[in-house]
Each structure stands twice: as C-alpha cells, then as structure tokens.
Amino acid sequence: MKVGMLTGGGDCPGLNAVIRGAVRKGVSAYGHEFIGFRDGWRGPLENDTMTLGIPEVRGILPRGGTILGSSRTNPFAIDNGVERIKDNLAENGVDALIAIGGEDTLGVATKLADLGVKVVGVPKTIDNDLSGTDFTFGFDTAVNIATEAIDRLHTTAESHHRVLVVEVMGRHAGWIALHSGLAGGANIILIPERPFDIEKVCAQVESRFATHYSPIIVVSEGAVPAEGGGMSLVSGEKDAFGHVRLGGIGDRLAGEIEKRTGKEARAVVLGHVQRGGSPTAFDRWLATRFGLHAITAVHEGDFGTMVSLQGTEITRIPLAEGTAVLKTVRPELYEEAEVLFG
C-alpha cells in the first residue's frame, strides 16, 4: 500500500514525531510505501510531493515544525479543488492518506472522506480545542513556553512596579491561558469563554498594588470585554477558512488599565514563540503514539476515522465526531481558579 501524508494549518511541536512514528512502523511492520505532500492541502492540490521513507525521518523526533511544510489552503474554496486532489492522488498511486491538523485541516479531511477519499486523521493544535480527544500534541509545549515566560516576567514586573499583560494564543478556547496562568501564578486570567469586566480587572490591579506586589495578567488572543468585542481585532483580514485575524488584545488591555488606574502597564505578546522549538517529552510521546496508531488504522482499512487520546488510551473515533464542536474551557474549571486571582 502507498500512503500519503500531509500536515496542515499552523505548525506546532510534535508534527515530525507523528510523521516519524507512522513511517517507521508502516515500513518496518507493514511494508508500506510513503509519499509526502508539501504544505498541507496545497500539496495534493498542486501535486507537490517529496520522498518520505525511513532515511527522511531519521533525527526529526526532537525537531519543531514539520518537514512536510504547512499552509492554510482550503481546497473547497478553489475551483475544481476536490477533483484535482483526487486526480493527483490517483496519479501518484496513493491508496490512502493520513492528514495531520486541527479543525480546518481535519474538516477538509472529513468532507473528502464523505466523497470517497480513504483518509485517517491525526488531531493537532496547540489550542487543545478539538472535542474528540482529551489532549492534542503541541499544547503541552505551548503551555510550558508560556509558563516560563510568565515566570520571567514576575521579576521584571516587581522591579519596575508595573502591570504586565501576557497575551497568549487561543482564538475560541482559553486552555493555554488557563493552564499557563495557573502554573505561572498569574493574578488575572482572561479567556474567550468568559467576557471580562474591565472595571473588575482594574480593581484587581489596584488591589494587587495595595499589597505592594505588581500584577501579571494572562489573556487569550480571543478574549473580549463584556461590553463589546472590538478590543481583540487587529484587522478584518480573513484566511481561506474564513477566520478573522486576531491579536492586539494585550496592547489594548494594557492601555485601558493604564488609563483607568494610572499604573504603568506593558503588554508582552508571545505569539508564534509558543509554536516553535523542540517539543516536550509529553508531546513527543503523544505524537509518536498518534503516528503509530494512525498507520495501523490505515493498514486495517479503518478510514474516515481520527486517532484520539481518551485517558491514557489511543482510540479511534469518526472524523466528523472529532471536529464537530470546539472543546472550550468549562465554567467550573475557570471558577475553581478564580479564588487565586487578585
């Protein structure tokens, strides 16, 4: 069997571990052949391929990013996109496809599976917002990077007696903010699921200064104030999947706090630093297991499925189920942390 692989959407640590796990097991245990498609769905769309075998995956386990490249290409937004993908898969003799990505990449995979393409999905997103799996690889690395940054910012905040606002990724789900904020001892955590009261935020800032400590605020890029949503948008630009570009809430929040409290405030935007670098041990472990189980699903002909972490076990669920809804922070998880704020 000849198996194609692609990685779509935003890159994250652990993608190479998936590729390595699938290829090594596929070749050594099953005798399968592999072909890599470059830059997400652009690869099969434009027939841009690369050789993918055991020599190509040696040494990539600790590397961040993806050797296959990535993009946010949406073949369903391109004329004859689906037909071109089917034709190019057939031209390359591809019997099955492993698609590694988040809600958009796997959303495309779900539609293609419904149209007869033999595909198995692997869930990937640093946001940890796919409902079909307990954790996605890349999330643990992002949280560790954000936590280290928060640890470092505590000392400079205290030295200069200023508010520091740390903006982390999280368009619709505040998992990175909640986990890193709790681990880093943040005084306020603001997430998309819970519109914030700017007056309450400022009161907490002043309360913190009253105890002679400087506050650290962690905010998801998609967080919005209770009185309106305009603070979070940088522009109206949209990607191929219709997502508006987010960012800037950290700067706007810092400006508002400084104006209302008179306390000096600065914003630190971690941005793509959270995506880069070597994956943590947990992400290497999870991504490798996903790769091993994905190629087994292909070998067994269990197409239209996604590998998933349930507890400590890797299972398979329908692709449609894995991308049906976004997994957001439950109210009780946020509320149990609120006692630490201020």
Side-chain angles (χ1 to χ4, degrees), residues 50 114 132 142 153-154 185 193 227 258 278 286 300:
M50 64 175 284
D114 291 340
L153 290 169
H154 274 291
E193 296 90 336
E227 62 266 26
E258 188 164 308
S278 186
L286 178 58
E300 294 176 355

Side-chain angles (χ1 to χ4, degrees), residues 150 177-186 189 218 333 336-338 340-341:
I150 295 166
L178 184 63
H179 281 240
S180 65
L182 284 176
I189 300 172
V218 177
L333 291 179
E336 72 181 17
E338 281 189 295
L340 301 172
F341 299 169

Side-chain angles (χ1 to χ4, degrees), residues 47-78:
N47 203 20
D48 190 356
T49 66
M50 64 175 284
T51 301
L52 195 59
I54 288 181
E56 285 73 31
V57 301
R58 287 196 178 104
I60 69 172
L61 178 63
R63 285 174 54 183
T66 164
I67 62 170
L68 294 177
S70 191
S71 74
R72 296 191 183 278
T73 303
N74 180 3
F76 285 91
I78 298 171

Side-chain angles (χ1 to χ4, degrees), residues 127 167-173 192 220-224 229-239 243-250 269 271-272:
D127 291 337
E167 181 184 317
V168 299
M169 287 185 170
R171 172 179 292 274
H172 301 297
S220 295
E221 63 183 342
V224 295
M231 287 177 66
S232 66
L233 298 182
V234 167
S235 71
E237 298 175 16
K238 295 184 179 181
D239 64 18
H243 299 309
V244 176
R245 180 186 173 192
L246 291 183
I249 184 64
V269 182
H272 287 77

Side-chain angles (χ1 to χ4, degrees), residues 3 5 16 19-28 32-36 50-60 67-68:
V3 182
M5 295 189 72
N16 287 324
I19 297 167
R20 172 181 175 270
V23 170
R24 290 187 67 88
K25 183 174 184 178
V27 172
S28 60
H32 295 325
E33 180 184 354
F34 288 83
I35 182 173
M50 64 175 284
T51 301
L52 195 59
I54 288 181
E56 285 73 31
V57 301
R58 287 196 178 104
I60 69 172
I67 62 170
L68 294 177

Side-chain angles (χ1 to χ4, degrees), residues 4 8 12 14 36 72 85 87 102 127 160 171 175 189 208 219 249 288 297 308 313 335:
C12 79
R72 296 191 183 278
I85 284 178
D87 290 344
D127 291 337
H160 292 276
R171 172 179 292 274
W175 293 108
I189 300 172
R208 179 70 174 173
V219 57
I249 184 64
T288 298
S308 164
E313 300 298 319
E335 289 163 4

